[in-house]
Amino acid sequence: MAIDSDMIRLGQFLKLADLIDTGGEAKVLISVGDVSVNGEVDTRRGRQLHPGDVVTVRGQSARVA
């Protein structure tokens, strides 16, 4: 998935990468620690992601490009 700027927020990326269905689902999964960034759990929905970051949720991963 290519992004137009040098960063995207974690909650936005989950939806754009089709890892979740809704923003509400992103909020819940992030808050309970079910989302990891580069192998580390992150509970900040507004975490800034940059190209090369790998996001994993429910056994599925996507790389920010």
Side-chain angles (χ1 to χ4, degrees), residues 14-37:
L14 289 172
K15 186 148 174 34
L16 288 174
D18 288 328
L19 294 172
I20 52 103
D21 294 322
T22 67
E25 185 179 6
K27 182 178 180 179
V28 170
L29 291 173
I30 293 168
S31 69
V32 298
D34 285 347
V35 177
S36 64
V37 178

Side-chain angles (χ1 to χ4, degrees), residues 3-65:
I3 56 174
D4 294 332
S5 66
D6 60 347
M7 74 91 189
I8 186 170
R9 300 204 185 278
L10 179 56
Q12 295 171 320
F13 181 75
L14 289 172
K15 186 148 174 34
L16 288 174
D18 288 328
L19 294 172
I20 52 103
D21 294 322
T22 67
E25 185 179 6
K27 182 178 180 179
V28 170
L29 291 173
I30 293 168
S31 69
V32 298
D34 285 347
V35 177
S36 64
V37 178
N38 299 326
E40 295 183 15
V41 171
D42 199 316
T43 57
R44 300 171 293 161
R45 188 172 51 159
R47 156 112 188 229
Q48 294 182 1
L49 302 175
H50 301 279
D53 285 341
V54 176
V55 176
T56 304
V57 61
R58 292 190 226 145
Q60 294 185 304
S61 297
R63 181 180 304 274
V64 179

